[in-house]
Amino acid sequence: MIKISAKYKNSFIAVSLIAVFILLFSFASYQKKDTLSTSLINNEKILSGGETTVFDQSVNAFALPAPGLSSQDELLFFVGNSFFNQNWVQAPSSTTARDGLGPYFNAKSCSGCHFKDGRGQPPTIAGQLSQGFIIRLSIPGKGPHGEPLDDPNYGGQFQEHAIDGLKKEGDYTLNWEEISGIYPDGNSFVLRKPIINFGELNYGEMQQGIMYSPRVAPQMIGLGLLEAIEEKTILSFADVNDKNGDGISGKPNYVWNAIEQKEQLGKFGWKANQPTILQQISGAFSGDMGISTDHFPEQNIASSQNKYRDYATGGEPEIEKDDLHKLHLYSSTLAVPARRNVEDKDVIKGEKIFAEIGCDNCHIQKIQTGVHAEFSILSNQNITPYTDLLLHDMGEGLADGRPDFEATGQEWRTPPLWGIGLFQTVNKHTFYLHDGRARNLSEAILWHGGEAEKSKNEFMQLSQKQRDQLIVFLESL
């Protein structure tokens, strides 16, 4: 009873503050749009998110609601924003609406991994709280639904932090192996590859044959639009057996929807291992922060850590259903910012090169969404996400050797490219790819192999000016 009262009190305060934020965010967004010419606003190239595009190039470019939300949903969006950004704490606590952190965790808030709704980055100091960098774990074999098998002592995700009174799972060090190369025109480059070493393991050894995969948290924009893409549209891009002989396959990943208890096409995650946004965020609450939900009610504790199940929790579940709905709405309706500089001559030339060297075989530019069952403003939108949401063999260089449902250890989902030119503005870094190894867009391209080897080689054959034009095009997305 006390807990409910506290939540209502918190909600009242939040609503009062949020009403102010709505006005400020809306004013800022429309201010940017008003500076553009009518012809440019109506240029479909600029409207990455269709009619839900926002016009903001600031540090808050990824944090705006999709235009067209009802006033009620817009209010819930900003309450969801509050939950997204505030830290969870160890239970029991007077902060009853946000207690239940852990017992093991990587971050204390959603924004701890997705700062400003943007992209995570590899740690720069050993032991620091995650800034959106985690390590997936699994052992050889598959579960009953084809999912990876957890390590008996450390589960499916290594957690380097624990609540007071418990030992963390352990530590790891991240070092970088440098790999030098030379373009055909004589210019040199240096790539870096992550080397992970685990240490101070407090719950026994990892099982022999352990497979691990470092990951950075991706940007949050446009997730609902991706969810609204119909399965038949995605499958139309697939060519699993490469029947057209272009060297590009594209394979759907069918995964387990634990909420609806059925197999479903995966759309989210670096290996397309999550079918819906709701399952993605519910899984992140459990895996990243140790917060239970209606969908994953058990504490995220490995079998060897069972004796710690009696530690105080923040309720059952630890995040209420209504609050999870606000997070779901928030995560689904974060808008995509408009493209910039689309009339710049180098950007136009770079876009042409992008197609000429075959990048658009996987990074599909134009897609129309279908009907979104919950958020109608996302339905029937003409969007430019630059992804096919399919798995592709990216070669040994990027391989993590860790299968995930139907994804092999060399396959990764084509990530959407919208917003990548704003990472520096929003997150103050330009670390790309699934583990943040690429320090800029050129390095990200140079890591492409497998099905993308031909495009990578053609990129290397370009002149320095042409490579620069391709990069400024990507920075305009």
Side-chain angles (χ1 to χ4, degrees):
M1 192 64 187
I2 294 174
K3 185 171 184 171
I4 293 173
S5 299
K7 285 185 176 179
Y8 281 138
K9 181 180 179 181
N10 289 338
S11 296
F12 176 78
I13 296 171
V15 166
S16 300
L17 293 172
I18 285 161
V20 177
F21 284 133
I22 289 175
L23 292 174
L24 292 175
F25 271 104
S26 299
F27 181 71
S29 178
Y30 295 128
Q31 278 272 297
K32 304 290 183 187
K33 187 175 181 178
D34 285 348
T35 63
L36 301 175
S37 67
T38 301
S39 62
L40 192 54
I41 291 174
N42 292 329
N43 185 338
E44 65 174 12
K45 285 189 176 181
I46 200 173
L47 302 175
S48 302
E51 295 175 356
T52 65
T53 303
V54 292
F55 296 83
D56 194 302
Q57 303 174 29
S58 75
V59 68
N60 293 316
F62 292 171
L64 296 171
L69 280 178
S70 68
S71 56
Q72 175 65 20
D73 281 349
E74 193 163 14
L75 183 62
L76 294 178
F77 176 92
F78 283 96
V79 178
N81 173 274
S82 174
F83 269 95
F84 191 88
N85 285 292
Q86 292 192 27
N87 282 350
W88 288 76
V89 298
Q90 181 175 345
S93 168
S94 58
T95 311
T96 54
R98 299 180 190 278
D99 67 349
L101 179 70
Y104 306 96
F105 58 94
N106 299 105
K108 294 182 178 180
S109 67
C110 304
S111 63
C113 290
H114 303 275
F115 182 64
K116 292 286 185 182
D117 306 288
R119 189 180 182 82
Q121 61 178 310
T124 54
I125 304 172
Q128 73 178 125
L129 200 60
S130 172
Q131 294 179 295
F133 184 91
I134 57 99
I135 302 175
R136 299 269 188 228
L137 304 173
S138 59
I139 61 176
K142 288 186 175 182
H145 304 296
E147 71 273 21
L149 291 178
D150 291 352
D151 180 84
N153 290 337
Y154 295 94
Q157 184 168 316
F158 191 72
Q159 290 156 323
E160 69 273 27
H161 299 281
I163 59 174
D164 293 343
L166 282 182
K167 290 183 177 179
K168 58 188 177 184
E169 291 190 331
D171 287 322
Y172 68 85
T173 58
L174 171 61
N175 294 302
W176 300 99
E177 174 189 349
E178 293 195 339
I179 303 168
S180 299
I182 299 176
Y183 289 101
D185 64 8
N187 288 321
S188 61
F189 59 83
V190 177
L191 304 180
R192 63 175 193 170
K193 182 178 182 179
I195 306 295
I196 303 284
N197 287 297
F198 294 98
E200 194 187 340
L201 296 175
N202 290 316
Y203 297 91
E205 296 298 319
M206 292 180 178
Q207 183 161 311
Q208 190 172 8
I210 187 76
M211 297 175 283
Y212 58 89
S213 181
R215 311 279 177 89
V216 296
Q219 66 275 24
M220 297 285 295
I221 55 173
L223 295 183
L225 291 168
L226 298 180
E227 189 169 61
I229 299 174
E230 294 182 336
E231 180 171 340
K232 66 180 181 182
T233 300
I234 297 171
L235 296 183
S236 73
F237 305 139
D239 184 15
V240 178
N241 298 314
D242 192 22
K243 291 182 178 177
N244 64 8
D246 66 353
I248 309 295
S249 60
K251 184 177 88 177
N253 194 6
Y254 283 96
V255 303
W256 185 244
N257 185 326
I259 297 174
E260 299 184 18
Q261 292 289 294
K262 66 178 184 181
E263 187 180 74
Q264 189 171 341
L265 177 68
K267 293 182 178 178
F268 303 102
W270 286 105
K271 286 185 181 267
N273 67 335
Q274 291 289 356
T276 65
I277 298 170
L278 182 59
Q279 182 159 309
Q280 174 76 54
I281 63 174
S282 298
F285 265 112
S286 175
D288 299 347
M289 294 184 284
I291 304 296
S292 63
T293 63
D294 272 344
H295 309 301
F296 298 107
E298 297 294 325
Q299 291 293 308
N300 184 27
I301 296 176
S303 55
S304 67
Q305 300 162 349
N306 266 334
K307 63 182 179 180
Y308 302 116
R309 287 188 183 277
D310 292 335
Y311 265 72
T313 70
E316 296 179 356
E318 290 169 323
I319 180 169
E320 299 283 349
K321 185 176 183 178
D322 285 350
D323 292 331
L324 183 64
H325 170 68
K326 293 161 191 163
L327 258 302
H328 182 209
L329 182 149
Y330 176 77
S331 301
S332 300
T333 57
L334 280 163
V336 181
R339 281 187 60 194
R340 288 81 52 208
N341 308 319
V342 295
E343 296 179 327
D344 181 277
K345 291 182 180 178
D346 284 335
V347 170
I348 294 171
K349 180 60 180 174
E351 182 175 10
K352 186 178 179 183
I353 294 170
F354 183 82
E356 288 174 346
I357 67 174
C359 303
D360 61 352
N361 287 327
C362 304
H363 292 285
I364 304 293
Q365 180 190 17
K366 297 180 181 179
I367 299 178
Q368 184 177 53
T369 65
V371 175
H372 196 289
E374 295 178 74
F375 308 112
S376 60
I377 60 169
L378 307 175
S379 300
N380 304 313
Q381 295 294 326
N382 294 310
I383 61 175
T384 54
Y386 290 90
T387 177
D388 58 8
L389 296 179
L390 294 171
L391 299 171
H392 294 274
D393 183 337
M394 295 301 292
E396 292 183 4
L398 283 178
D400 66 353
R402 180 179 178 273
D404 200 334
F405 290 96
E406 297 182 24
T408 70
Q410 286 195 179
E411 291 178 328
W412 299 93
R413 183 199 67 158
T414 307
L417 299 183
W418 51 19
I420 62 170
L422 288 170
F423 289 173
Q424 178 64 53
T425 300
V426 174
N427 294 121
K428 314 305 179 190
H429 70 74
T430 54
F431 298 127
Y432 297 97
L433 297 178
H434 64 278
D435 51 17
R437 68 176 66 190
R439 291 163 290 192
N440 52 57
L441 288 167
S442 292
E443 289 186 17
I445 296 170
L446 291 168
W447 271 110
H448 282 51
E451 296 175 34
E453 181 79 20
K454 182 174 180 291
S455 294
K456 187 271 294 288
N457 289 337
E458 292 189 25
F459 169 74
M460 294 182 68
Q461 292 289 340
L462 298 172
S463 68
Q464 182 64 61
K465 181 178 180 179
Q466 290 172 314
R467 292 197 296 269
D468 291 343
Q469 289 170 327
L470 177 58
I471 297 304
V472 295
F473 161 66
L474 294 173
E475 290 173 342
S476 77
L477 298 179

